[in-house]
Amino acid sequence: MQLTETVYLVGSGQNGFSLTDPLDCHVYLLDGGSEMALIDTGVGRDVPAIVAEIEAAGFDPGDIAKIFITHLHLDHSGGAAALQQVCGAEIVASQDVAGWLETGDEEAASLVAARQTGMYPLENRLRPVASATAATAGDVIAVGSLRVTVVKADGHSQGHLAFLLDDGTRRALFSGDALFFGGRILLQNIWDCSLEESIATVRRFAKQEFSQFFPGHGSFSFQDGKRHVDAAMVQIKQLLPPPQLET
């Protein structure tokens, strides 16, 4: 599904547009001309469906050079190992997440606890990736003609990153699960979730300039995307937390 001249939606679950597995996050494809990248990989239960969406958009999965991971939760990183195998792509994540992906650390991903609640079936696993590259805030990574800036986005989970895309004419924020449509956040009772860090991330987003807003689930904005950050900041300036995402 083409969203803009350079951004495609090639995966999305029941909390989005039901393109692929119900548990998938939004999986975005960035078309930089000479090379491409993915942002997040879905839960990993039906990677062939994501591959089929890439091919239906007219692209060769083998041309995907990088896979950016926003955070470790299974609905965003579970397909990383399989997609890396299919594409031969470099996986890019924060230092913490890169290490956990290489070891398949299910405790760090809160996957053990999530399975106990029934959020994921018992057979869902975090498969280790062959290798992952650590990125830090402020890094600017080329994807063909595109430039992707790494933004620190802790709060929803440790080592969470957001990605700011610049295609030469407009900028888009890919926020993962750090911020959603309407200025909402998602706090969970897990070891690495922090309201304080979430608020710091929203403040960090407020300093960025962008017009398009693409979160990890739900609706997105092609214009005036900064309004979602502004909505969260209204609450923060009143000494209140941003509203919680309704799941």
Side-chain angles (χ1 to χ4, degrees):
M1 178 190 298
Q2 185 167 8
L3 304 181
T4 73
E5 290 182 6
T6 57
V7 178
Y8 293 75
L9 189 69
V10 295
S12 183
Q14 63 189 1
N15 291 323
F17 298 92
S18 297
L19 285 178
T20 53
D21 188 273
L23 294 180
D24 283 348
C25 67
H26 291 336
V27 180
Y28 297 100
L29 182 145
L30 310 182
D31 176 17
S34 60
E35 64 179 6
M36 297 179 297
L38 295 178
I39 295 181
D40 286 332
T41 66
V43 75
R45 298 198 307 181
D46 192 4
V47 167
I50 294 174
V51 172
E53 288 292 330
I54 294 169
E55 292 173 338
F59 298 106
D60 180 352
D63 291 335
I64 293 172
K66 294 178 176 65
I67 299 174
F68 296 102
I69 302 294
T70 59
H71 64 294
L72 191 62
H73 293 167
L74 195 71
D75 55 333
H76 291 256
S77 71
L83 279 166
Q84 184 180 49
Q85 219 169 16
V86 169
C87 305
E90 174 189 16
I91 289 177
V92 179
S94 68
Q95 182 171 359
D96 285 340
V97 171
W100 292 327
L101 283 171
E102 288 182 338
T103 59
D105 193 330
E106 296 188 348
E107 289 285 356
S110 297
L111 179 55
V112 174
R115 280 199 298 255
Q116 290 172 349
T117 69
M119 186 179 299
Y120 297 108
L122 293 176
E123 65 270 16
N124 279 185
R125 314 297 300 186
L126 180 61
R127 288 179 51 199
V129 302
S131 63
T133 299
T136 58
D139 287 352
V140 180
I141 301 169
V143 178
S145 63
L146 308 176
R147 295 296 178 268
V148 177
T149 301
V150 178
V151 181
K152 177 179 168 67
D154 289 328
H156 177 73
S157 64
Q158 184 170 316
H160 195 304
L161 297 177
F163 300 102
L164 195 62
L165 172 68
D166 188 338
D167 67 2
T169 59
R170 65 187 67 80
R171 304 183 90 195
L173 178 69
F174 294 84
S175 62
D177 285 358
L179 187 70
F180 298 96
F181 195 95
R184 295 180 179 273
I185 60 174
L186 179 57
L187 301 176
Q188 297 173 295
N189 183 25
I190 53 177
W191 74 273
D192 58 342
C193 191
S194 165
L195 174 59
E196 182 179 3
E197 291 287 349
S198 288
I199 289 173
T201 288
V202 174
R203 292 185 183 277
R204 208 171 290 119
F205 289 167
K207 296 177 181 178
Q208 306 295 332
E209 291 302 323
F210 59 91
S211 58
Q212 298 177 333
F213 177 71
F214 298 112
H217 304 273
S219 297
F220 34 72
S221 290
F222 299 107
Q223 298 182 55
D224 194 22
K226 193 75 175 284
R227 73 183 188 274
H228 306 294
V229 178
D230 294 342
M233 284 300 300
V234 167
Q235 297 296 109
I236 290 169
K237 289 176 180 178
Q238 295 296 319
L239 306 184
L240 297 170
Q244 176 84 340
L245 181 72
E246 297 176 4
T247 58

